[in-house]
Amino acid sequence: MKKKSTGERLETFIYGRNSIEHLHRYALVMPYIENKVVLDIASGEGYGSNLMSAHAAFVHGVDIDAQTVAAAQVKYKKDNLRYQVGSATAIPLEDHSVDVVVSYETIEHHDQHQEMINEIKRVLKPEGVLIISTPDKLYYSDKRNFDNEFHIKELYKQEFVDLISPQFKNIQLLTQIYCNGNSIIQPENDPEPFQFFTGDYTWAAPQEIDPLYLVIIASDFSFAPHKRSIFNGEIFTELTWKSLWQSSNTYKVGSFVLKPFKFLKSLVK
């Protein structure tokens, strides 16, 4: 039976824009987590914590849903990876025990924002780094007239900055844009931002693409700022088309017709 997404959590059978955007954020953290102890808050299905465990010394995946944690424990098994139940405002880790905290698309799912940041500061080592993302309410919801039923309290850009900046001496604000299968993350104040154009054989013109997501890197110590990066979503675009084709009636009929021939072929091997 084909799995179905609830729309709340990203699953590894989903191939599309959401997958590309999430994977780009996890790719972004790799230079910051090498041989570090990492906490992934709201680790969900577990794929992100698993990805980071290839570079980190140890990864704690924490999620509030016990069933989701249990599934991740079965699916991803490594000596330097542990999944456990906990919330963003009650993290089950010791004080100052983590080098890097990663929190992607979490804070908008509750309204205890200050409590969450306080908990992050508690578990972070003094020289630790926080990398956190959230939708920009202006572009994600207001301009699109969009209401995400799973979001409790979304933030505007300045609200996001005002939440994080008092807690850390150094922050970098990044924006994330999606364009035709590719994700772009760049500094919010990039002096040479990307220019986008669109058109066909009869016209060509500039195109404005709104950055739906915000990412902040924060620490009390200096860190290497993120310059600009692109996640090539070609693999996921191909997987999306393959998934759509395999779910079509044409493919299903063809598979049914060919099934006896495939069986006969298997007998003569």
Side-chain angles (χ1 to χ4, degrees):
M1 178 182 289
K2 187 177 179 179
K3 296 181 179 179
K4 291 185 178 181
S5 171
T6 64
E8 182 179 11
R9 298 177 184 273
L10 181 60
E11 307 267 2
T12 54
F13 60 83
I14 298 172
Y15 316 115
R17 172 175 181 163
N18 204 24
S19 309
I20 292 165
E21 289 169 334
H22 275 72
L23 286 171
H24 191 181
R25 294 179 204 124
Y26 277 109
L28 178 153
V29 307
M30 298 308 175
Y32 300 95
I33 66 171
E34 194 72 35
N35 298 320
K36 302 290 186 180
V37 177
V38 180
L39 165 62
D40 187 11
I41 293 182
S43 52
E45 191 272 351
Y47 72 93
S49 300
N50 180 61
L51 277 173
M52 292 190 293
S53 69
H55 299 267
F58 195 92
V59 178
H60 299 276
V62 173
D63 197 274
I64 198 170
D65 185 74
Q67 185 176 354
T68 299
V69 169
Q73 290 170 337
V74 172
K75 184 173 182 179
Y76 303 106
K77 294 184 178 181
K78 291 183 179 179
D79 292 338
N80 68 332
L81 176 61
R82 181 189 179 194
Y83 297 97
Q84 55 189 316
V85 177
S87 75
T89 57
I91 300 170
L93 297 178
E94 299 294 325
D95 294 359
H96 312 305
S97 59
V98 176
D99 296 298
V100 181
V101 173
V102 175
S103 175
Y104 290 151
E105 309 310 293
T106 306
I107 201 164
E108 65 275 5
H109 289 271
H110 62 83
D111 59 5
Q112 297 178 292
H113 295 176
Q114 190 59 59
E115 292 85 347
M116 175 179 174
I117 301 305
N118 291 344
E119 268 293 88
I120 287 173
K121 284 290 285 187
R122 180 185 68 78
V123 301
L124 265 180
K125 294 179 181 179
E127 67 278 14
V129 176
L130 166 65
I131 304 175
I132 182 170
S133 73
T134 193
D136 185 331
K137 191 175 190 304
L138 174 63
Y139 298 118
Y140 182 88
S141 296
D142 293 355
K143 288 190 69 173
R144 299 194 300 164
N145 193 28
F146 177 67
D147 180 25
N148 188 317
E149 62 180 301
F150 300 109
H151 290 182
I152 303 300
K153 185 180 179 181
E154 296 175 353
L155 296 172
Y156 292 104
K157 178 172 65 177
Q158 194 57 52
E159 290 177 323
F160 189 41
V161 172
D162 289 345
L163 175 69
I164 307 298
S165 58
Q167 297 280 358
F168 295 91
K169 294 178 181 178
N170 303 297
I171 75 165
Q172 182 188 25
L173 177 63
L174 308 166
T175 59
Q176 185 173 24
I177 294 170
Y178 179 87
C179 180
N180 195 29
N182 300 296
S183 168
I184 301 166
I185 295 179
Q186 58 189 354
E188 191 267 344
N189 59 350
D190 196 328
E192 298 181 1
F194 272 100
Q195 286 186 296
F196 297 94
F197 296 87
T198 188
D200 57 26
Y201 288 117
T202 62
W203 64 278
Q207 181 184 26
E208 184 175 341
I209 301 179
D210 294 326
L212 298 191
Y213 297 96
L214 301 165
V215 181
I216 282 182
I217 305 174
S219 178
D220 284 330
F221 285 71
S222 61
F223 56 85
H226 184 80
K227 295 180 180 178
R228 179 191 287 174
S229 61
I230 301 174
F231 189 95
N232 182 356
E234 181 179 7
I235 292 174
F236 274 75
T237 301
E238 292 174 354
L239 289 171
T240 299
W241 282 112
K242 182 179 179 181
S243 177
L244 290 172
W245 164 242
Q246 290 180 344
S247 63
S248 68
N249 289 331
T250 301
Y251 178 86
K252 292 175 181 177
V253 170
S255 296
F256 178 78
V257 171
L258 292 174
K259 190 173 183 179
F261 298 98
K262 290 180 180 180
F263 174 73
L264 291 173
K265 185 179 178 180
S266 68
L267 295 177
V268 297
K269 282 186 177 181

Short mmCIF file of all heavy atoms in Angstrom, two decimals, residues 111-136:
data_model
loop_
_atom_site.label_atom_id
_atom_site.label_comp_id
_atom_site.label_asym_id
_atom_site.label_seq_id
_atom_site.Cartn_x
_atom_site.Cartn_y
_atom_site.Cartn_z
N ASP A 111 3.58 28.12 20.52
CA ASP A 111 3.64 29.55 20.85
C ASP A 111 4.53 29.84 22.06
O ASP A 111 4.54 30.94 22.60
CB ASP A 111 2.24 30.12 21.09
CG ASP A 111 1.50 29.41 22.21
OD1 ASP A 111 2.10 28.53 22.87
OD2 ASP A 111 0.31 29.73 22.42
N GLN A 112 5.33 28.84 22.48
CA GLN A 112 6.25 29.02 23.60
C GLN A 112 7.65 29.34 23.08
O GLN A 112 8.62 28.63 23.37
CB GLN A 112 6.24 27.78 24.48
CG GLN A 112 4.89 27.50 25.14
CD GLN A 112 4.91 26.24 25.96
OE1 GLN A 112 5.01 25.13 25.43
NE2 GLN A 112 4.82 26.40 27.27
N HIS A 113 7.75 30.40 22.34
CA HIS A 113 8.99 30.70 21.64
C HIS A 113 10.14 31.06 22.58
O HIS A 113 11.26 30.56 22.43
CB HIS A 113 8.75 31.83 20.63
CG HIS A 113 7.83 31.43 19.53
ND1 HIS A 113 7.42 32.31 18.54
CD2 HIS A 113 7.24 30.25 19.23
CE1 HIS A 113 6.62 31.68 17.70
NE2 HIS A 113 6.49 30.43 18.10
N GLN A 114 9.87 31.92 23.53
CA GLN A 114 10.94 32.31 24.44
C GLN A 114 11.40 31.14 25.30
O GLN A 114 12.61 30.97 25.55
CB GLN A 114 10.47 33.46 25.35
CG GLN A 114 11.59 34.10 26.16
CD GLN A 114 12.68 34.66 25.28
OE1 GLN A 114 12.44 35.52 24.45
NE2 GLN A 114 13.91 34.17 25.45
N GLU A 115 10.46 30.32 25.71
CA GLU A 115 10.82 29.14 26.49
C GLU A 115 11.71 28.19 25.68
O GLU A 115 12.65 27.60 26.22
CB GLU A 115 9.55 28.39 26.94
CG GLU A 115 8.71 29.14 27.96
CD GLU A 115 7.73 30.14 27.35
OE1 GLU A 115 7.86 30.43 26.15
OE2 GLU A 115 6.85 30.61 28.09
N MET A 116 11.44 28.07 24.39
CA MET A 116 12.25 27.22 23.54
C MET A 116 13.67 27.75 23.42
O MET A 116 14.65 26.99 23.53
CB MET A 116 11.61 27.11 22.15
CG MET A 116 12.43 26.33 21.15
SD MET A 116 11.59 26.22 19.54
CE MET A 116 12.87 25.42 18.56
N ILE A 117 13.81 29.05 23.19
CA ILE A 117 15.14 29.63 23.06
C ILE A 117 15.91 29.51 24.37
O ILE A 117 17.12 29.27 24.39
CB ILE A 117 15.06 31.10 22.61
CG1 ILE A 117 14.33 31.20 21.26
CG2 ILE A 117 16.46 31.71 22.49
CD1 ILE A 117 14.94 30.34 20.15
N ASN A 118 15.22 29.68 25.50
CA ASN A 118 15.87 29.51 26.80
C ASN A 118 16.40 28.09 26.98
O ASN A 118 17.50 27.89 27.52
CB ASN A 118 14.88 29.84 27.93
CG ASN A 118 14.52 31.31 27.99
OD1 ASN A 118 15.19 32.15 27.41
ND2 ASN A 118 13.43 31.61 28.69
N GLU A 119 15.62 27.11 26.54
CA GLU A 119 16.05 25.71 26.64
C GLU A 119 17.26 25.45 25.73
O GLU A 119 18.18 24.71 26.09
CB GLU A 119 14.90 24.77 26.26
CG GLU A 119 14.06 24.30 27.41
CD GLU A 119 14.83 23.40 28.35
OE1 GLU A 119 15.46 23.93 29.29
OE2 GLU A 119 14.80 22.16 28.18
N ILE A 120 17.23 26.03 24.55
CA ILE A 120 18.37 25.86 23.63
C ILE A 120 19.64 26.42 24.26
O ILE A 120 20.71 25.79 24.21
CB ILE A 120 18.06 26.55 22.28
CG1 ILE A 120 17.01 25.74 21.51
CG2 ILE A 120 19.34 26.70 21.45
CD1 ILE A 120 16.50 26.40 20.26
N LYS A 121 19.54 27.60 24.87
CA LYS A 121 20.70 28.19 25.53
C LYS A 121 21.18 27.32 26.70
O LYS A 121 22.39 27.22 26.96
CB LYS A 121 20.36 29.59 26.04
CG LYS A 121 20.31 30.64 24.97
CD LYS A 121 21.70 30.98 24.42
CE LYS A 121 22.50 31.82 25.41
NZ LYS A 121 23.78 32.30 24.83
N ARG A 122 20.24 26.69 27.36
CA ARG A 122 20.62 25.84 28.50
C ARG A 122 21.46 24.65 28.07
O ARG A 122 22.47 24.32 28.72
CB ARG A 122 19.35 25.34 29.22
CG ARG A 122 19.65 24.44 30.42
CD ARG A 122 18.39 23.87 31.03
NE ARG A 122 17.72 22.91 30.15
CZ ARG A 122 18.11 21.64 29.99
NH1 ARG A 122 19.18 21.18 30.62
NH2 ARG A 122 17.42 20.84 29.19
N VAL A 123 21.08 23.98 26.96
CA VAL A 123 21.79 22.76 26.55
C VAL A 123 23.03 23.06 25.72
O VAL A 123 23.91 22.22 25.60
CB VAL A 123 20.86 21.80 25.78
CG1 VAL A 123 19.67 21.40 26.64
CG2 VAL A 123 20.40 22.39 24.46
N LEU A 124 23.11 24.27 25.15
CA LEU A 124 24.28 24.63 24.33
C LEU A 124 25.50 24.89 25.20
O LEU A 124 25.42 25.50 26.27
CB LEU A 124 23.98 25.89 23.52
CG LEU A 124 23.49 25.75 22.09
CD1 LEU A 124 23.27 27.12 21.47
CD2 LEU A 124 24.43 24.91 21.22
N LYS A 125 26.64 24.45 24.71
CA LYS A 125 27.91 24.82 25.34
C LYS A 125 28.14 26.32 25.13
O LYS A 125 27.56 26.92 24.21
CB LYS A 125 29.05 24.02 24.72
CG LYS A 125 28.97 22.52 25.00
CD LYS A 125 30.12 21.78 24.33
CE LYS A 125 30.02 20.28 24.60
NZ LYS A 125 31.11 19.51 23.94
N PRO A 126 28.95 26.96 25.96
CA PRO A 126 29.16 28.41 25.83
C PRO A 126 29.57 28.85 24.43
O PRO A 126 29.18 29.92 23.97
CB PRO A 126 30.26 28.69 26.86
CG PRO A 126 30.08 27.62 27.89
CD PRO A 126 29.66 26.39 27.13
N GLU A 127 30.36 28.03 23.75
CA GLU A 127 30.81 28.37 22.40
C GLU A 127 29.92 27.74 21.33
O GLU A 127 30.27 27.73 20.13
CB GLU A 127 32.26 27.92 22.19
CG GLU A 127 32.48 26.42 22.17
CD GLU A 127 32.59 25.78 23.55
OE1 GLU A 127 32.23 26.44 24.55
OE2 GLU A 127 33.01 24.61 23.62
N GLY A 128 28.75 27.24 21.72
CA GLY A 128 27.88 26.51 20.80
C GLY A 128 27.22 27.38 19.75
O GLY A 128 27.22 28.62 19.82
N VAL A 129 26.63 26.70 18.75
CA VAL A 129 26.00 27.36 17.61
C VAL A 129 24.56 26.87 17.47
O VAL A 129 24.29 25.66 17.57
CB VAL A 129 26.77 27.08 16.30
CG1 VAL A 129 26.06 27.69 15.10
CG2 VAL A 129 28.19 27.60 16.40
N LEU A 130 23.66 27.80 17.23
CA LEU A 130 22.27 27.48 16.91
C LEU A 130 22.02 27.77 15.44
O LEU A 130 22.38 28.84 14.94
CB LEU A 130 21.32 28.33 17.75
CG LEU A 130 19.84 28.35 17.30
CD1 LEU A 130 19.20 26.97 17.44
CD2 LEU A 130 19.05 29.39 18.08
N ILE A 131 21.38 26.82 14.73
CA ILE A 131 20.96 27.02 13.35
C ILE A 131 19.47 26.70 13.30
O ILE A 131 19.06 25.56 13.53
CB ILE A 131 21.76 26.15 12.37
CG1 ILE A 131 23.25 26.41 12.54
CG2 ILE A 131 21.33 26.44 10.92
CD1 ILE A 131 24.15 25.52 11.69
N ILE A 132 18.67 27.71 13.04
CA ILE A 132 17.22 27.60 13.18
C ILE A 132 16.51 28.24 11.99
O ILE A 132 16.97 29.26 11.48
CB ILE A 132 16.77 28.25 14.52
CG1 ILE A 132 15.26 28.10 14.74
CG2 ILE A 132 17.21 29.72 14.60
CD1 ILE A 132 14.82 28.52 16.15
N SER A 133 15.41 27.64 11.56
CA SER A 133 14.67 28.19 10.42
C SER A 133 13.18 28.28 10.75
O SER A 133 12.67 27.58 11.63
CB SER A 133 14.86 27.32 9.17
OG SER A 133 14.14 26.11 9.28
N THR A 134 12.49 29.14 10.00
CA THR A 134 11.04 29.28 10.14
C THR A 134 10.50 29.97 8.90
O THR A 134 11.24 30.68 8.21
CB THR A 134 10.71 30.11 11.40
OG1 THR A 134 9.32 29.99 11.69
CG2 THR A 134 11.04 31.57 11.22
N PRO A 135 9.23 29.78 8.58
CA PRO A 135 8.64 30.54 7.46
C PRO A 135 8.59 32.03 7.79
O PRO A 135 8.43 32.42 8.95
CB PRO A 135 7.23 29.97 7.35
CG PRO A 135 7.25 28.68 8.08
CD PRO A 135 8.26 28.83 9.16
N ASP A 136 8.74 32.86 6.77
CA ASP A 136 8.53 34.29 6.91
C ASP A 136 7.04 34.54 6.71
O ASP A 136 6.51 34.36 5.62
CB ASP A 136 9.34 35.04 5.85
CG ASP A 136 9.25 36.55 6.00
OD1 ASP A 136 8.23 37.05 6.50
OD2 ASP A 136 10.20 37.24 5.59
#
